Amino acid sequence: MAEQLTAENLESYSIEAISNYGRAIEDFSDVLVSIKSEDANVSVFNSLYIMIEGKKRRLYDLANVESPENALKLEVMVYSRENVDIVKDTIKESGFPAKSEPGSQYIHVRVPPPSRMQLEEIADDLIRRTNGMTSRLMKLKTNTGLRIRAAVQNEFIDTRVATLSTRKIDSAYERFNREARLLGLLRRKQILGKYFKPQEKDDEALSKDVNLFVKLNKNIDPNDLSDEAA
C-alpha cells in the first residue's frame, strides 16, 4: 500500500541527501585545514633513513616530527633516548642544523622554506583530494537516486514526488560540489602563493570567486561580527 503523500514524504530523500552533502563538506574542510605548507618539510624528514644496528629504518618509525610553532622549526621527538644521538647526527649529515638538550628526547631542527617543487606536490595532493570529494558527493547523489527509483517501483512514492525530490537533490549536489571545488582551490592558492597557476579545467572560472572571498575576508573587521555590533 502506498504511503500517504505528505510534505514529510516529499522531503525525506532530499533532506537526507542534503544533510549527507553537508557532513561530507565539513569533513573535507577539516582535512583542508590540516594540510599546511610545513607538511613538505615534515614529509622530507619522515623519508630520512637512519642506520640502527646495521639496519635502515625510516625516521617516522623512530620519531615523531612536528612543527608546533614555526614552519621553519621542526621538533623531532625520538621515541627511544638511546637513538637520539644517531638520529641527530643523521639529520646534521643531511644538511640541517640540529640540536638537543642533554637527556632530552627532543631534537630541534631549522629548515629552509619549502621549495616550489615541494609546494606543488602538496597542491597535487589537494587536487586529488578535491576530485575525491567530488566523487564522494556524486556517490551520495547516485545512491539516493537509486533509492528513489526503488521507492517509485515499490509504490512508496509516486513519480511526481520522485521528480521533485530528485530536482532538489541534483540542485544541492551542484551547489555543494561547487563549494568543495572552491574550498580546494582556495587552499591550493594559499599553499602555492606566488607559484599558483590554473591547473584544473574550472580553476579560472572559480578563481574570481576565490579572489573575491579573500579580498572580502581581509577587509572584514572581526568587531563587526561580534554580538555587540549586531
Short mmCIF file of all heavy atoms in Angstrom, two decimals, residues 107-172:
data_model
loop_
_atom_site.label_atom_id
_atom_site.label_comp_id
_atom_site.label_asym_id
_atom_site.label_seq_id
_atom_site.Cartn_x
_atom_site.Cartn_y
_atom_site.Cartn_z
N ILE A 107 64.70 16.81 19.52
CA ILE A 107 65.72 17.41 18.67
C ILE A 107 65.07 18.57 17.94
O ILE A 107 64.01 18.41 17.32
CB ILE A 107 66.29 16.40 17.65
CG1 ILE A 107 66.88 15.18 18.36
CG2 ILE A 107 67.33 17.06 16.75
CD1 ILE A 107 67.28 14.07 17.41
N HIS A 108 65.69 19.74 18.01
CA HIS A 108 65.15 20.93 17.36
C HIS A 108 65.94 21.20 16.08
O HIS A 108 67.17 21.29 16.10
CB HIS A 108 65.21 22.12 18.31
CG HIS A 108 64.45 21.89 19.59
ND1 HIS A 108 63.08 22.00 19.66
CD2 HIS A 108 64.88 21.50 20.83
CE1 HIS A 108 62.67 21.73 20.88
NE2 HIS A 108 63.75 21.42 21.61
N VAL A 109 65.22 21.31 14.98
CA VAL A 109 65.85 21.41 13.67
C VAL A 109 65.37 22.65 12.93
O VAL A 109 64.17 22.92 12.87
CB VAL A 109 65.54 20.16 12.82
CG1 VAL A 109 66.34 20.19 11.51
CG2 VAL A 109 65.82 18.88 13.59
N ARG A 110 66.31 23.40 12.35
CA ARG A 110 65.97 24.53 11.48
C ARG A 110 65.97 24.06 10.04
O ARG A 110 66.89 23.37 9.61
CB ARG A 110 66.96 25.68 11.66
CG ARG A 110 66.80 26.43 12.97
CD ARG A 110 67.69 27.67 13.02
NE ARG A 110 67.43 28.47 14.20
CZ ARG A 110 66.48 29.38 14.27
NH1 ARG A 110 65.70 29.62 13.23
NH2 ARG A 110 66.31 30.08 15.38
N VAL A 111 64.95 24.44 9.32
CA VAL A 111 64.84 24.01 7.92
C VAL A 111 64.57 25.22 7.03
O VAL A 111 64.03 26.24 7.50
CB VAL A 111 63.71 22.98 7.73
CG1 VAL A 111 64.01 21.70 8.48
CG2 VAL A 111 62.37 23.56 8.19
N PRO A 112 64.92 25.14 5.76
CA PRO A 112 64.63 26.25 4.84
C PRO A 112 63.17 26.23 4.44
O PRO A 112 62.47 25.23 4.64
CB PRO A 112 65.53 25.93 3.63
CG PRO A 112 65.63 24.43 3.65
CD PRO A 112 65.68 24.06 5.11
N PRO A 113 62.67 27.34 3.89
CA PRO A 113 61.28 27.34 3.40
C PRO A 113 61.09 26.24 2.36
O PRO A 113 62.02 25.89 1.63
CB PRO A 113 61.14 28.74 2.75
CG PRO A 113 62.19 29.56 3.41
CD PRO A 113 63.34 28.64 3.67
N PRO A 114 59.88 25.66 2.29
CA PRO A 114 59.64 24.60 1.30
C PRO A 114 59.93 25.11 -0.11
O PRO A 114 59.65 26.27 -0.43
CB PRO A 114 58.15 24.28 1.48
CG PRO A 114 57.83 24.74 2.86
CD PRO A 114 58.70 25.93 3.12
N SER A 115 60.49 24.26 -0.93
CA SER A 115 60.78 24.63 -2.31
C SER A 115 59.49 24.67 -3.13
O SER A 115 58.45 24.14 -2.70
CB SER A 115 61.75 23.64 -2.94
OG SER A 115 61.12 22.37 -3.09
N ARG A 116 59.58 25.25 -4.30
CA ARG A 116 58.41 25.30 -5.18
C ARG A 116 57.94 23.88 -5.52
O ARG A 116 56.74 23.60 -5.52
CB ARG A 116 58.75 26.05 -6.46
CG ARG A 116 57.61 26.08 -7.47
CD ARG A 116 57.94 26.95 -8.66
NE ARG A 116 56.83 26.99 -9.61
CZ ARG A 116 56.79 27.80 -10.66
NH1 ARG A 116 57.79 28.64 -10.90
NH2 ARG A 116 55.74 27.77 -11.48
N MET A 117 58.89 22.99 -5.75
CA MET A 117 58.53 21.61 -6.09
C MET A 117 57.78 20.94 -4.94
O MET A 117 56.79 20.23 -5.15
CB MET A 117 59.78 20.80 -6.43
CG MET A 117 59.49 19.37 -6.85
SD MET A 117 60.99 18.48 -7.37
CE MET A 117 61.44 19.41 -8.84
N GLN A 118 58.25 21.19 -3.71
CA GLN A 118 57.59 20.60 -2.55
C GLN A 118 56.17 21.14 -2.41
O GLN A 118 55.23 20.38 -2.11
CB GLN A 118 58.39 20.90 -1.28
CG GLN A 118 59.70 20.13 -1.18
CD GLN A 118 60.50 20.55 0.03
OE1 GLN A 118 60.62 21.75 0.33
NE2 GLN A 118 61.04 19.59 0.74
N LEU A 119 56.01 22.44 -2.61
CA LEU A 119 54.67 23.04 -2.51
C LEU A 119 53.75 22.51 -3.60
O LEU A 119 52.55 22.28 -3.36
CB LEU A 119 54.77 24.56 -2.59
CG LEU A 119 55.50 25.25 -1.44
CD1 LEU A 119 55.59 26.75 -1.69
CD2 LEU A 119 54.83 24.96 -0.10
N GLU A 120 54.29 22.30 -4.79
CA GLU A 120 53.48 21.78 -5.89
C GLU A 120 53.04 20.35 -5.62
O GLU A 120 51.96 19.93 -6.06
CB GLU A 120 54.25 21.88 -7.20
CG GLU A 120 54.35 23.32 -7.71
CD GLU A 120 55.17 23.45 -8.97
OE1 GLU A 120 55.89 22.48 -9.32
OE2 GLU A 120 55.09 24.50 -9.64
N GLU A 121 53.87 19.59 -4.89
CA GLU A 121 53.47 18.23 -4.52
C GLU A 121 52.28 18.27 -3.57
O GLU A 121 51.35 17.44 -3.68
CB GLU A 121 54.65 17.50 -3.88
CG GLU A 121 55.76 17.12 -4.86
CD GLU A 121 56.94 16.48 -4.18
OE1 GLU A 121 56.95 16.43 -2.92
OE2 GLU A 121 57.86 16.04 -4.88
N ILE A 122 52.29 19.22 -2.63
CA ILE A 122 51.15 19.37 -1.72
C ILE A 122 49.91 19.79 -2.51
O ILE A 122 48.80 19.30 -2.28
CB ILE A 122 51.46 20.41 -0.63
CG1 ILE A 122 52.60 19.92 0.26
CG2 ILE A 122 50.22 20.68 0.22
CD1 ILE A 122 53.03 20.91 1.32
N ALA A 123 50.10 20.71 -3.48
CA ALA A 123 48.98 21.17 -4.31
C ALA A 123 48.39 20.02 -5.12
O ALA A 123 47.17 19.93 -5.28
CB ALA A 123 49.44 22.29 -5.23
N ASP A 124 49.26 19.15 -5.64
CA ASP A 124 48.77 17.98 -6.39
C ASP A 124 47.93 17.08 -5.49
O ASP A 124 46.91 16.52 -5.92
CB ASP A 124 49.95 17.19 -6.97
CG ASP A 124 50.62 17.91 -8.13
OD1 ASP A 124 50.00 18.81 -8.72
OD2 ASP A 124 51.77 17.57 -8.45
N ASP A 125 48.37 16.95 -4.24
CA ASP A 125 47.60 16.14 -3.28
C ASP A 125 46.24 16.79 -3.02
O ASP A 125 45.23 16.10 -2.91
CB ASP A 125 48.38 16.00 -1.97
CG ASP A 125 47.64 15.17 -0.94
OD1 ASP A 125 47.21 14.04 -1.27
OD2 ASP A 125 47.48 15.64 0.20
N LEU A 126 46.21 18.12 -2.95
CA LEU A 126 44.95 18.82 -2.76
C LEU A 126 44.01 18.61 -3.94
O LEU A 126 42.79 18.48 -3.76
CB LEU A 126 45.21 20.32 -2.56
CG LEU A 126 45.78 20.72 -1.20
CD1 LEU A 126 46.27 22.16 -1.23
CD2 LEU A 126 44.73 20.54 -0.11
N ILE A 127 44.56 18.57 -5.14
CA ILE A 127 43.73 18.31 -6.33
C ILE A 127 43.13 16.91 -6.24
O ILE A 127 41.93 16.72 -6.50
CB ILE A 127 44.57 18.45 -7.62
CG1 ILE A 127 44.89 19.93 -7.87
CG2 ILE A 127 43.81 17.88 -8.81
CD1 ILE A 127 45.80 20.17 -9.06
N ARG A 128 43.94 15.94 -5.85
CA ARG A 128 43.43 14.57 -5.72
C ARG A 128 42.32 14.49 -4.67
O ARG A 128 41.30 13.84 -4.88
CB ARG A 128 44.57 13.61 -5.35
CG ARG A 128 45.54 13.32 -6.48
CD ARG A 128 46.48 12.18 -6.13
NE ARG A 128 47.41 12.57 -5.08
CZ ARG A 128 48.60 13.13 -5.29
NH1 ARG A 128 49.00 13.39 -6.53
NH2 ARG A 128 49.39 13.43 -4.29
N ARG A 129 42.52 15.18 -3.57
CA ARG A 129 41.52 15.16 -2.51
C ARG A 129 40.23 15.87 -2.93
O ARG A 129 39.13 15.44 -2.60
CB ARG A 129 42.08 15.81 -1.23
CG ARG A 129 43.18 14.99 -0.57
CD ARG A 129 43.76 15.74 0.63
NE ARG A 129 44.86 15.04 1.24
CZ ARG A 129 44.75 14.11 2.20
NH1 ARG A 129 43.54 13.79 2.65
NH2 ARG A 129 45.80 13.53 2.72
N THR A 130 40.38 16.97 -3.68
CA THR A 130 39.21 17.69 -4.16
C THR A 130 38.42 16.85 -5.15
O THR A 130 37.18 16.78 -5.09
CB THR A 130 39.63 19.02 -4.83
OG1 THR A 130 40.35 19.81 -3.88
CG2 THR A 130 38.40 19.80 -5.29
N ASN A 131 39.12 16.20 -6.07
CA ASN A 131 38.44 15.31 -7.02
C ASN A 131 37.79 14.14 -6.29
O ASN A 131 36.71 13.67 -6.68
CB ASN A 131 39.42 14.81 -8.07
CG ASN A 131 39.86 15.92 -9.02
OD1 ASN A 131 39.16 16.90 -9.21
ND2 ASN A 131 41.03 15.76 -9.62
N GLY A 132 38.45 13.68 -5.23
CA GLY A 132 37.86 12.61 -4.43
C GLY A 132 36.59 13.07 -3.74
O GLY A 132 35.64 12.31 -3.59
N MET A 133 36.57 14.36 -3.33
CA MET A 133 35.37 14.91 -2.70
C MET A 133 34.23 14.98 -3.70
O MET A 133 33.08 14.68 -3.38
CB MET A 133 35.69 16.32 -2.18
CG MET A 133 34.57 16.95 -1.37
SD MET A 133 34.34 16.13 0.21
CE MET A 133 32.72 15.45 -0.03
N THR A 134 34.54 15.37 -4.94
CA THR A 134 33.54 15.39 -6.00
C THR A 134 32.95 13.99 -6.21
O THR A 134 31.73 13.83 -6.35
CB THR A 134 34.15 15.90 -7.32
OG1 THR A 134 34.48 17.29 -7.18
CG2 THR A 134 33.17 15.75 -8.47
N SER A 135 33.82 12.99 -6.20
CA SER A 135 33.36 11.60 -6.37
C SER A 135 32.49 11.16 -5.21
O SER A 135 31.49 10.45 -5.39
CB SER A 135 34.57 10.66 -6.51
OG SER A 135 35.32 10.97 -7.65
N ARG A 136 32.85 11.59 -4.00
CA ARG A 136 32.05 11.23 -2.82
C ARG A 136 30.66 11.83 -2.90
O ARG A 136 29.66 11.16 -2.61
CB ARG A 136 32.75 11.70 -1.55
CG ARG A 136 31.99 11.40 -0.27
CD ARG A 136 32.75 11.86 0.95
NE ARG A 136 31.96 11.68 2.17
CZ ARG A 136 32.35 12.04 3.39
NH1 ARG A 136 33.54 12.60 3.55
NH2 ARG A 136 31.57 11.85 4.44
N LEU A 137 30.58 13.11 -3.31
CA LEU A 137 29.28 13.76 -3.44
C LEU A 137 28.43 13.10 -4.53
O LEU A 137 27.22 12.91 -4.37
CB LEU A 137 29.47 15.24 -3.75
CG LEU A 137 30.07 16.10 -2.64
CD1 LEU A 137 30.38 17.51 -3.15
CD2 LEU A 137 29.15 16.17 -1.42
N MET A 138 29.09 12.74 -5.63
CA MET A 138 28.38 12.07 -6.72
C MET A 138 27.83 10.72 -6.27
O MET A 138 26.72 10.32 -6.64
CB MET A 138 29.30 11.92 -7.93
CG MET A 138 28.68 11.14 -9.09
SD MET A 138 27.14 11.91 -9.70
CE MET A 138 27.81 13.33 -10.58
N LYS A 139 28.62 10.01 -5.47
CA LYS A 139 28.18 8.71 -4.97
C LYS A 139 26.95 8.88 -4.07
O LYS A 139 26.01 8.09 -4.15
CB LYS A 139 29.31 8.04 -4.19
CG LYS A 139 28.98 6.63 -3.72
CD LYS A 139 30.17 5.97 -3.06
CE LYS A 139 29.82 4.55 -2.61
NZ LYS A 139 30.99 3.88 -1.96
N LEU A 140 26.97 9.91 -3.23
CA LEU A 140 25.80 10.17 -2.38
C LEU A 140 24.57 10.47 -3.22
O LEU A 140 23.47 9.98 -2.95
CB LEU A 140 26.09 11.36 -1.45
CG LEU A 140 27.12 11.13 -0.33
CD1 LEU A 140 27.46 12.44 0.36
CD2 LEU A 140 26.59 10.11 0.69
N LYS A 141 24.78 11.26 -4.26
CA LYS A 141 23.67 11.61 -5.16
C LYS A 141 23.15 10.37 -5.87
O LYS A 141 21.93 10.14 -5.94
CB LYS A 141 24.16 12.64 -6.19
CG LYS A 141 23.16 12.93 -7.29
CD LYS A 141 23.80 13.84 -8.34
CE LYS A 141 22.92 13.93 -9.58
NZ LYS A 141 23.55 14.74 -10.65
N THR A 142 24.04 9.54 -6.38
CA THR A 142 23.64 8.34 -7.12
C THR A 142 22.90 7.36 -6.23
O THR A 142 21.87 6.80 -6.61
CB THR A 142 24.88 7.66 -7.73
OG1 THR A 142 25.54 8.58 -8.62
CG2 THR A 142 24.49 6.41 -8.50
N ASN A 143 23.43 7.15 -5.03
CA ASN A 143 22.79 6.20 -4.11
C ASN A 143 21.38 6.65 -3.73
O ASN A 143 20.46 5.83 -3.64
CB ASN A 143 23.64 6.04 -2.85
CG ASN A 143 24.91 5.25 -3.09
OD1 ASN A 143 25.05 4.57 -4.11
ND2 ASN A 143 25.86 5.34 -2.18
N THR A 144 21.23 7.95 -3.50
CA THR A 144 19.89 8.45 -3.18
C THR A 144 18.96 8.31 -4.37
O THR A 144 17.78 7.97 -4.22
CB THR A 144 19.96 9.93 -2.75
OG1 THR A 144 20.92 10.08 -1.70
CG2 THR A 144 18.60 10.41 -2.25
N GLY A 145 19.48 8.55 -5.57
CA GLY A 145 18.68 8.39 -6.78
C GLY A 145 18.19 6.96 -6.95
O GLY A 145 17.04 6.72 -7.35
N LEU A 146 19.05 5.99 -6.63
CA LEU A 146 18.66 4.58 -6.72
C LEU A 146 17.57 4.25 -5.71
O LEU A 146 16.64 3.48 -6.00
CB LEU A 146 19.89 3.69 -6.49
CG LEU A 146 20.97 3.72 -7.58
CD1 LEU A 146 22.18 2.92 -7.15
CD2 LEU A 146 20.41 3.18 -8.91
N ARG A 147 17.65 4.84 -4.53
CA ARG A 147 16.63 4.60 -3.51
C ARG A 147 15.29 5.19 -3.94
O ARG A 147 14.24 4.61 -3.70
CB ARG A 147 17.08 5.19 -2.17
CG ARG A 147 18.25 4.46 -1.53
CD ARG A 147 18.69 5.13 -0.25
NE ARG A 147 17.56 5.25 0.68
CZ ARG A 147 17.44 6.24 1.56
NH1 ARG A 147 18.32 7.21 1.59
NH2 ARG A 147 16.40 6.27 2.37
N ILE A 148 15.35 6.37 -4.55
CA ILE A 148 14.12 7.00 -5.03
C ILE A 148 13.48 6.14 -6.12
O ILE A 148 12.27 5.93 -6.14
CB ILE A 148 14.41 8.42 -5.56
CG1 ILE A 148 14.76 9.34 -4.39
CG2 ILE A 148 13.21 8.97 -6.32
CD1 ILE A 148 15.18 10.73 -4.81
N ARG A 149 14.31 5.63 -7.03
CA ARG A 149 13.79 4.79 -8.11
C ARG A 149 13.13 3.54 -7.54
O ARG A 149 12.05 3.11 -7.99
CB ARG A 149 14.93 4.39 -9.05
CG ARG A 149 14.46 3.60 -10.27
CD ARG A 149 15.66 3.18 -11.13
NE ARG A 149 16.45 4.36 -11.52
CZ ARG A 149 17.59 4.28 -12.19
NH1 ARG A 149 18.09 3.09 -12.50
NH2 ARG A 149 18.24 5.37 -12.52
N ALA A 150 13.78 2.94 -6.53
CA ALA A 150 13.21 1.74 -5.91
C ALA A 150 11.90 2.07 -5.20
O ALA A 150 10.94 1.27 -5.22
CB ALA A 150 14.21 1.15 -4.91
N ALA A 151 11.83 3.25 -4.59
CA ALA A 151 10.61 3.66 -3.89
C ALA A 151 9.46 3.83 -4.87
O ALA A 151 8.31 3.47 -4.56
CB ALA A 151 10.87 4.96 -3.13
N VAL A 152 9.75 4.36 -6.05
CA VAL A 152 8.71 4.50 -7.08
C VAL A 152 8.23 3.13 -7.55
O VAL A 152 7.03 2.88 -7.68
CB VAL A 152 9.23 5.32 -8.28
CG1 VAL A 152 8.22 5.30 -9.42
CG2 VAL A 152 9.53 6.76 -7.85
N GLN A 153 9.19 2.24 -7.79
CA GLN A 153 8.84 0.90 -8.26
C GLN A 153 8.00 0.13 -7.25
O GLN A 153 7.11 -0.65 -7.61
CB GLN A 153 10.12 0.12 -8.58
CG GLN A 153 10.88 0.66 -9.79
CD GLN A 153 12.20 -0.05 -10.01
OE1 GLN A 153 12.70 -0.76 -9.14
NE2 GLN A 153 12.78 0.14 -11.19
N ASN A 154 8.27 0.38 -5.97
CA ASN A 154 7.52 -0.30 -4.90
C ASN A 154 6.29 0.48 -4.45
O ASN A 154 5.64 0.12 -3.47
CB ASN A 154 8.44 -0.55 -3.70
CG ASN A 154 9.50 -1.58 -3.98
OD1 ASN A 154 9.23 -2.65 -4.52
ND2 ASN A 154 10.75 -1.25 -3.64
N GLU A 155 6.01 1.58 -5.18
CA GLU A 155 4.82 2.40 -4.93
C GLU A 155 4.82 3.05 -3.55
O GLU A 155 3.77 3.31 -2.96
CB GLU A 155 3.54 1.58 -5.13
CG GLU A 155 3.40 1.06 -6.56
CD GLU A 155 2.09 0.32 -6.76
OE1 GLU A 155 1.37 0.07 -5.76
OE2 GLU A 155 1.78 -0.02 -7.92
N PHE A 156 6.01 3.31 -3.01
CA PHE A 156 6.09 4.05 -1.76
C PHE A 156 5.85 5.54 -2.02
O PHE A 156 5.31 6.25 -1.17
CB PHE A 156 7.45 3.86 -1.09
CG PHE A 156 7.69 2.45 -0.62
CD1 PHE A 156 8.96 1.92 -0.57
CD2 PHE A 156 6.63 1.66 -0.19
CE1 PHE A 156 9.19 0.63 -0.12
CE2 PHE A 156 6.83 0.36 0.27
CZ PHE A 156 8.11 -0.15 0.29
N ILE A 157 6.30 6.01 -3.19
CA ILE A 157 6.07 7.39 -3.60
C ILE A 157 5.70 7.37 -5.08
O ILE A 157 6.00 6.41 -5.79
CB ILE A 157 7.32 8.29 -3.40
CG1 ILE A 157 8.52 7.73 -4.18
CG2 ILE A 157 7.65 8.45 -1.93
CD1 ILE A 157 9.76 8.62 -4.10
N ASP A 158 5.05 8.43 -5.52
CA ASP A 158 4.69 8.45 -6.94
C ASP A 158 5.75 9.24 -7.73
O ASP A 158 6.67 9.82 -7.17
CB ASP A 158 3.28 9.02 -7.14
CG ASP A 158 3.16 10.48 -6.73
OD1 ASP A 158 4.20 11.15 -6.57
OD2 ASP A 158 2.02 10.97 -6.57
N THR A 159 5.58 9.24 -9.04
CA THR A 159 6.57 9.88 -9.93
C THR A 159 6.70 11.36 -9.66
O THR A 159 7.80 11.93 -9.75
CB THR A 159 6.16 9.64 -11.40
OG1 THR A 159 6.06 8.23 -11.63
CG2 THR A 159 7.22 10.22 -12.33
N ARG A 160 5.59 12.02 -9.33
CA ARG A 160 5.63 13.45 -9.08
C ARG A 160 6.54 13.77 -7.89
O ARG A 160 7.38 14.66 -7.96
CB ARG A 160 4.22 13.98 -8.80
CG ARG A 160 4.16 15.48 -8.50
CD ARG A 160 2.74 15.91 -8.16
NE ARG A 160 2.24 15.23 -6.96
CZ ARG A 160 2.49 15.67 -5.72
NH1 ARG A 160 3.23 16.76 -5.53
NH2 ARG A 160 1.98 15.02 -4.69
N VAL A 161 6.38 13.03 -6.81
CA VAL A 161 7.21 13.23 -5.62
C VAL A 161 8.67 12.92 -5.94
O VAL A 161 9.58 13.66 -5.55
CB VAL A 161 6.72 12.35 -4.46
CG1 VAL A 161 7.69 12.41 -3.29
CG2 VAL A 161 5.33 12.77 -4.02
N ALA A 162 8.89 11.84 -6.68
CA ALA A 162 10.25 11.44 -7.04
C ALA A 162 10.94 12.52 -7.87
O ALA A 162 12.11 12.84 -7.66
CB ALA A 162 10.23 10.12 -7.80
N THR A 163 10.21 13.09 -8.80
CA THR A 163 10.78 14.13 -9.67
C THR A 163 11.16 15.36 -8.88
O THR A 163 12.25 15.92 -9.04
CB THR A 163 9.77 14.51 -10.77
OG1 THR A 163 9.49 13.35 -11.57
CG2 THR A 163 10.35 15.59 -11.66
N LEU A 164 10.26 15.80 -7.99
CA LEU A 164 10.54 16.98 -7.17
C LEU A 164 11.74 16.75 -6.25
O LEU A 164 12.60 17.62 -6.10
CB LEU A 164 9.30 17.36 -6.37
CG LEU A 164 8.11 17.89 -7.17
CD1 LEU A 164 6.89 18.05 -6.27
CD2 LEU A 164 8.46 19.23 -7.82
N SER A 165 11.79 15.57 -5.62
CA SER A 165 12.90 15.26 -4.73
C SER A 165 14.22 15.20 -5.49
O SER A 165 15.24 15.72 -5.05
CB SER A 165 12.65 13.93 -4.02
OG SER A 165 11.56 14.03 -3.13
N THR A 166 14.19 14.58 -6.67
CA THR A 166 15.40 14.45 -7.48
C THR A 166 15.92 15.82 -7.91
O THR A 166 17.13 16.06 -7.92
CB THR A 166 15.11 13.58 -8.73
OG1 THR A 166 14.71 12.27 -8.30
CG2 THR A 166 16.35 13.47 -9.60
N ARG A 167 15.02 16.71 -8.26
CA ARG A 167 15.44 18.07 -8.64
C ARG A 167 16.15 18.77 -7.48
O ARG A 167 17.17 19.43 -7.67
CB ARG A 167 14.22 18.89 -9.08
CG ARG A 167 13.69 18.52 -10.46
CD ARG A 167 12.44 19.32 -10.76
NE ARG A 167 11.88 18.96 -12.07
CZ ARG A 167 10.70 19.37 -12.51
NH1 ARG A 167 9.96 20.17 -11.73
NH2 ARG A 167 10.27 19.00 -13.69
N LYS A 168 15.61 18.62 -6.28
CA LYS A 168 16.24 19.24 -5.12
C LYS A 168 17.61 18.63 -4.85
O LYS A 168 18.57 19.34 -4.53
CB LYS A 168 15.35 19.06 -3.88
CG LYS A 168 14.13 19.95 -3.86
CD LYS A 168 13.48 19.93 -2.48
CE LYS A 168 12.35 20.94 -2.40
NZ LYS A 168 11.80 21.05 -1.03
N ILE A 169 17.69 17.32 -4.99
CA ILE A 169 18.96 16.63 -4.74
C ILE A 169 20.00 17.02 -5.77
O ILE A 169 21.17 17.26 -5.43
CB ILE A 169 18.73 15.10 -4.74
CG1 ILE A 169 17.88 14.71 -3.52
CG2 ILE A 169 20.05 14.34 -4.73
CD1 ILE A 169 17.32 13.31 -3.59
N ASP A 170 19.60 17.10 -7.03
CA ASP A 170 20.53 17.49 -8.10
C ASP A 170 21.00 18.92 -7.91
O ASP A 170 22.19 19.23 -8.09
CB ASP A 170 19.86 17.34 -9.47
CG ASP A 170 19.62 15.89 -9.86
OD1 ASP A 170 20.16 15.00 -9.15
OD2 ASP A 170 18.89 15.65 -10.84
N SER A 171 20.08 19.80 -7.57
CA SER A 171 20.44 21.20 -7.35
C SER A 171 21.41 21.35 -6.19
O SER A 171 22.38 22.11 -6.26
CB SER A 171 19.18 22.03 -7.09
OG SER A 171 19.49 23.37 -6.80
N ALA A 172 21.15 20.61 -5.11
CA ALA A 172 22.03 20.67 -3.94
C ALA A 172 23.40 20.10 -4.27
O ALA A 172 24.42 20.62 -3.81
CB ALA A 172 21.41 19.89 -2.78
#
